[in-house]
Amino acid sequence: MTKAIIQVENLGKKYLIGHSRKEKYIALRDVLFKSAKQTKNMVLRPSKRGSSYKEDFWALQNISFEIEQGDRVGIIGRNGAGKSTLLKLLSRITEPTTGQFTLRGRVASLLEVGTGFHPELTGRENIFLNGAILGMSKTEISRKFDEIVSFAEVERFLDTPVKRYSSGMYVRLAFAVAAHVDTEILIVDEVLAVGDAAFQKKCLSRMGDLSNDGRTLLFVSHNMGVLRELVNQCILLEEGEIVSAGSVDETISKYLSSGRQINDLSIDLSDHRNRLAGMKRILRSVSVRNSEGEYQKDFSQLEKISVHIEYKSDEPDTFLAGAGFILYTAEGVRVGGYNTYMAFPPPHKIQKDGTIIFRILPKQLTPGTYLLTVSLGSHQGALEDKIEQCIDFTVYPADIYRTGYLLTKEDGVAVLSVEVCMAEEPDRRYVSKNNN
Amino acid sequence: MESEHYLRIKAGQTETQYWRDVWRYRELFYFLAWRDILVRYKQTFIGVAWALIRPFLTMVVFTIVFGRLANLPSESNVPYPVLVFAAILPWQFFASALSECSNSLISNSNLLSKVYFPRLVVPTSAVIVSFVDFLISGMILLGLMAWYNFVPSWRILALPFFVLVAFAAAIGSGLWLAALNVKYRDFRYVVPFIVQLGLYISPVGFSSNIVPQQWRLLYSLNPMVGVIDGFRWAILGRGTVLYWPGFSLSLILVGLILWSGVMYFRRMERTFADVI
């Protein structure tokens, strides 16, 4: 009889969210101030105990599953669905609030490339340090040292401090160490988004080899192509709960077609509740698609995002001059927009019915969820139809700078294209990191 | 083989394998200490010399201020610089170990949020750098002894014990501050204050014999009094006497701080990754 190597029962994780999400730690002053305030409230208004300014948030709830030895399991879900929390629980970085899990093997987790690398130390020193952080013993690292070095292709720079490494070398070295950790269970977060394509391929084949040796793999990715290639099972998380688990193709297609509405791949606009008052019903549908024209809701920062707007006027004498869209963040910040008035010189006129496709070019948006408002007009200043925030899509991180630096929501909304030149080396050419 | 790596994590349950895990991660302890030492001596230009200059200058200033200007008495004809240096040694070890220890979690926050290991490894390994500094500045003491033709007695053999007490004092209070620092960042301002104030309320620049007899037990509530007196007793030898009631009190306090520090740290460490 074989027991599951990972057995998760009713796992849950609750976080307390303060009123300000940014400050996770507390200043003592706040605590003192708050308790003083509470005491005052208790004295003055005993009925109203100081209202708690914290809110429970269940990042994960009722998670149960089993994984057999040698399985390669992909975990998918939208941003904030609880994928990373699940990995953190299983790697024991944080403690569960409810439930339990059993691991029958050693775990190595790779949630970030190069955790614990120190820029001042040489490549050789960092291999030992990083190996130890990932749970390897010194003899184990020594034994695998040559293998790691040749995998990373950094032989010539072993005694150079890693702060002088190119970003590619850095990522290669970091992944090489992690890829040689000898544990029964390997947990990998979206780290393959960094590094060049050739190295990504190498990493994927290495992970494939590992699982052929009987290792169990847990893998989070937004990249469905990679998942289809690598894993043999999928778990779909939505708002902290498992909504589907099992075959890869089934779960992925479920994921792609899931959303807050039953079918939000193409939004029917003919009777939409976000239509502004007084507008004509001309807009018919809107969808976001990939460059092949397939419906898609999650895009890498390196992908084009196509916005398809379909419209049709029933009145024969309608005159339409242009169409456009406005982009908002999930928090409601207006990012910008584009319309046919910008694209073409006057006179402006578009057909009475048809489809307009806007392609948002890659490397402009930081990771996060965005909402689209679409509109049609008979003149630049005269709207005929407009529907507010009727479709959303998500952008997930990619190594757009090719330096391994992955942008997050905290970096802002727009991706800036910048050339940089170090002042100390005036003869150095300006380097454009973005548009290569 | 299966039973070897069996692990069950249950919500709200205290970890049963904690100390076994600490033992298993002893190499990480060694590597983190090694990293800190490497980085410290790579980054600073004068490296090792720095560990010598600082205590030496402190010793010179204290000798002048306390020995000459204030004209405080030494202990049984011990040269004043030796008296001062026998205290600077443990004090600087304690002060720098305390700072390193209490900052260690914050400065390794990327590790805490990305990898599992018993968190105790971080603050305890941070202390080792200070110990290396301690050993290096110990050379000055040897130099001073040679200069003054000062031969230590057999008591010097007891020194390692007092070093252990200093370790316990630094780690104990360091654990408290490290854990508090994660939750309340204000504590990073508390540490320099403790260190600055502590220098004057501990018998570094003077002998604790000048404290009036009726206050000595109270004075020993400062655990570093016990450590420093112990160091002087072991190094200066001969006429120095250890004030046993005070020393025992310091020792008990150190034990209490260490024990409660570990307990508090273990209670708090479960949430470190969530709040750091």
Side-chain angles (χ1 to χ4, degrees):
Chain A
M1 108 189 166
T2 50
K3 279 188 184 160
I5 191 163
I6 303 175
Q7 203 171 356
V8 177
E9 292 157 67
N10 204 20
L11 206 62
K13 175 73 183 177
K14 184 175 75 175
Y15 284 105
L16 292 173
I17 318 180
H19 50 170
S20 150
R21 265 189 185 217
K22 279 250 156 125
E23 279 177 54
K24 281 191 280 186
Y25 57 87
I26 321 162
L28 189 58
R29 154 183 55 96
D30 293 343
V31 176
L32 296 176
F33 189 66
K34 201 180 123 213
S35 49
K37 221 164 141 186
Q38 270 177 353
T39 329
K40 188 184 117 199
N41 280 350
M42 250 147 61
V43 174
L44 296 181
R45 284 165 287 171
S47 56
K48 260 199 202 166
R49 288 270 169 86
S51 64
S52 105
Y53 73 139
K54 284 200 165 176
E55 199 187 326
D56 286 356
F57 168 71
W58 285 91
L60 277 182
Q61 228 170 346
N62 304 323
I63 302 291
S64 301
F65 59 86
E66 285 188 2
I67 293 175
E68 302 291 334
Q69 195 204 333
D71 275 348
R72 305 182 300 275
V73 182
I75 298 172
I76 50 180
R78 287 163 190 277
N79 290 341
K83 304 183 298 283
S84 297
T85 308
L86 180 59
L87 295 196
K88 278 191 173 180
L89 284 173
L90 292 179
S91 6
R92 303 171 65 197
I93 292 163
T94 174
E95 288 211 334
T97 315
T98 63
Q100 60 177 11
F101 64 91
T102 312
L103 303 171
R104 291 188 175 83
R106 284 205 301 163
V107 179
S109 49
L110 180 53
L111 304 192
E112 182 189 62
V113 161
T115 303
F117 263 41
H118 199 290
E120 293 289 338
L121 301 183
T122 66
R124 182 190 306 277
E125 289 160 349
N126 268 309
I127 290 177
F128 278 94
L129 178 64
N130 194 233
I133 286 168
L134 294 173
M136 282 198 265
S137 71
K138 199 182 166 197
T139 44
E140 217 178 326
I141 304 168
S142 306
R143 208 177 58 228
K144 296 201 168 156
F145 189 81
D146 294 335
E147 234 180 296
I148 293 173
V149 172
S150 73
F151 187 90
E153 303 159 27
V154 292
E155 289 90 344
R156 285 171 45 223
F157 305 98
L158 266 184
D159 294 305
T160 311
V162 296
K163 66 177 175 186
R164 299 199 208 289
Y165 275 31
S166 76
S167 58
M169 281 159 62
Y170 186 91
V171 170
R172 286 208 302 273
L173 183 64
F175 190 86
V177 181
H180 289 82
V181 179
D182 215 353
T183 58
E184 289 80 17
I185 304 167
L186 186 62
I187 295 180
V188 183
D189 203 348
E190 196 144 34
V191 289
L192 288 176
V194 299
D196 56 60
F199 189 70
Q200 274 190 26
K201 207 155 216 171
K202 200 170 169 181
C203 295
L204 283 177
S205 83
R206 170 78 195 173
M207 293 214 279
D209 290 349
L210 286 178
S211 78
N212 290 337
D213 289 352
R215 312 291 166 69
T216 307
L217 184 69
L218 248 79
F219 185 61
V220 160
S221 182
H222 276 103
N223 190 331
M224 298 304 142
V226 167
L227 278 169
R228 282 203 173 96
E229 203 174 307
L230 189 66
V231 304
N232 63 1
Q233 271 182 49
C234 261
I235 292 174
L236 170 59
L237 288 176
E238 213 167 87
E239 287 173 5
E241 297 190 52
I242 295 181
V243 288
S244 172
S247 101
V248 178
D249 288 328
E250 240 171 71
T251 316
I252 288 182
S253 64
K254 204 162 194 172
Y255 166 61
L256 292 178
S257 63
S258 75
R260 266 149 251 151
Q261 280 174 303
I262 308 219
N263 176 17
D264 68 351
L265 286 173
S266 173
I267 302 284
D268 184 5
L269 299 176
S270 45
D271 204 15
H272 201 279
R273 58 193 166 86
N274 285 1
R275 174 170 273 121
L276 293 192
M279 292 286 129
K280 292 179 186 147
R281 296 186 176 191
I282 305 174
L283 290 162
R284 290 301 159 98
S285 77
V286 59
S287 57
V288 284
R289 310 185 189 193
N290 62 21
S291 34
E292 268 85 59
E294 299 161 26
Y295 293 127
Q296 190 172 319
K297 299 294 295 252
D298 299 270
F299 297 86
S300 147
Q301 282 183 293
L302 293 167
E303 277 179 289
K304 285 181 189 167
I305 303 163
S306 292
V307 181
H308 291 236
I309 302 172
E310 206 190 322
Y311 65 96
K312 188 174 194 296
S313 173
D314 293 330
E315 295 168 38
D317 58 339
T318 314
F319 172 78
L320 293 175
F325 71 89
I326 304 166
L327 197 59
Y328 293 90
T329 67
E331 289 76 32
V333 177
R334 182 170 171 154
V335 179
Y338 199 80
N339 56 45
T340 51
Y341 309 118
M342 299 173 183
F344 306 105
H348 295 299
K349 181 176 177 7
I350 57 172
Q351 285 179 310
K352 263 204 300 255
D353 56 81
T355 303
I356 291 178
I357 302 170
F358 292 102
R359 280 215 175 112
I360 303 173
L361 298 180
K363 301 186 200 170
Q364 298 190 86
L365 297 171
T366 56
T369 298
Y370 294 89
L371 296 161
L372 278 172
T373 293
V374 290
S375 62
L376 281 173
S378 55
H379 183 267
Q380 281 192 47
L383 280 173
E384 291 294 314
D385 194 3
K386 181 175 183 178
I387 299 169
E388 292 276 15
Q389 306 192 347
C390 47
I391 191 163
D392 66 331
F393 63 87
T394 301
V395 174
Y396 63 85
D399 188 17
I400 55 170
Y401 300 111
R402 299 192 177 192
T403 59
Y405 188 105
L406 293 187
L407 289 169
T408 69
K409 233 176 165 159
E410 275 68 42
D411 285 303
V413 177
V415 174
L416 302 185
S417 300
V418 176
E419 289 184 330
V420 60
C421 172
M422 299 297 174
E424 303 91 63
E425 301 164 57
D427 53 332
R428 206 161 135 173
R429 281 176 43 224
Y430 277 93
V431 183
S432 169
K433 289 279 188 185
N434 205 357
N435 298 318
N436 35 31
Chain B
M1 178 201 144
E2 196 187 78
S3 60
E4 194 189 340
H5 296 302
Y6 175 85
L7 179 76
R8 163 164 278 167
I9 303 282
K10 200 172 176 182
Q13 203 174 54
T14 43
E15 195 130 5
T16 46
Q17 311 187 328
Y18 191 80
W19 295 107
R20 218 174 82 190
D21 265 0
V22 171
W23 175 246
R24 196 183 283 162
Y25 277 87
R26 64 192 181 278
E27 290 205 339
L28 180 60
F29 170 86
Y30 157 73
F31 274 114
L32 286 179
W34 170 76
R35 172 197 71 180
D36 289 345
I37 293 166
L38 272 181
V39 169
R40 172 147 185 149
Y41 292 117
K42 264 187 192 180
Q43 268 175 334
T44 52
F45 182 58
I46 35 177
V48 180
W50 193 237
L52 295 170
I53 294 168
R54 228 164 34 140
F56 183 76
L57 288 181
T58 317
M59 184 265 298
V60 171
V61 170
F62 274 31
T63 304
I64 293 172
V65 172
F66 291 102
R68 289 285 147 79
L69 300 181
N71 225 354
L72 292 175
S74 180
E75 285 179 30
S76 59
N77 299 324
V78 174
Y80 210 84
V82 180
L83 175 93
V84 168
F85 205 81
I88 284 178
L89 222 41
W91 173 258
Q92 274 202 339
F93 169 63
F94 173 79
S96 87
L98 184 68
S99 324
E100 300 279 352
C101 197
S102 55
N103 271 327
S104 60
L105 291 176
I106 304 292
S107 50
N108 287 294
S109 60
N110 61 329
L111 285 188
L112 300 199
S113 57
K114 297 292 180 197
V115 197
Y116 167 79
F117 51 85
R119 276 38 176 135
L120 207 53
V121 170
V122 168
T124 47
S125 71
V127 173
I128 301 298
V129 191
S130 311
F131 184 64
V132 172
D133 277 355
F134 168 82
L135 291 180
I136 292 171
S137 42
M139 293 195 300
I140 298 181
L141 186 71
L142 294 182
L144 280 175
M145 286 175 156
W147 178 263
Y148 287 104
N149 264 331
F150 187 91
V151 185
S153 70
W154 59 268
R155 285 190 194 167
I156 196 91
L157 295 175
L159 198 61
F161 169 74
F162 297 107
V163 174
L164 279 183
V165 180
F167 255 109
I171 290 177
S173 31
L175 286 179
W176 268 104
L177 290 167
L180 285 166
N181 218 345
V182 172
K183 199 156 184 204
Y184 310 106
R185 293 294 156 94
D186 314 44
F187 276 89
R188 87 191 113 168
Y189 306 115
V190 174
V191 176
F193 181 68
I194 293 179
V195 169
Q196 202 181 20
L197 206 65
L199 180 60
Y200 295 101
I201 59 171
S202 304
V204 179
F206 47 87
S207 159
S208 51
N209 287 337
I210 65 167
V211 176
Q213 200 60 35
Q214 68 265 36
W215 298 112
R216 275 203 79 173
L217 200 60
L218 190 71
Y219 189 53
S220 302
L221 281 176
N222 171 0
M224 280 313 284
V225 173
V227 175
I228 290 170
D229 283 355
F231 262 70
R232 285 201 172 122
W233 178 83
I235 292 170
L236 307 182
R238 281 175 286 193
T240 45
V241 281
L242 198 55
Y243 175 63
W244 282 103
F247 182 74
S248 325
L249 180 63
S250 291
L251 213 56
I252 291 168
L253 273 174
V254 168
L256 215 62
I257 290 170
L258 181 64
W259 175 78
S260 62
V262 172
M263 288 297 133
Y264 183 69
F265 189 88
R266 284 207 54 191
R267 199 157 63 91
M268 298 307 288
E269 77 174 327
R270 310 154 133 249
T271 55
F272 281 165
D274 298 335
V275 292
I276 203 157

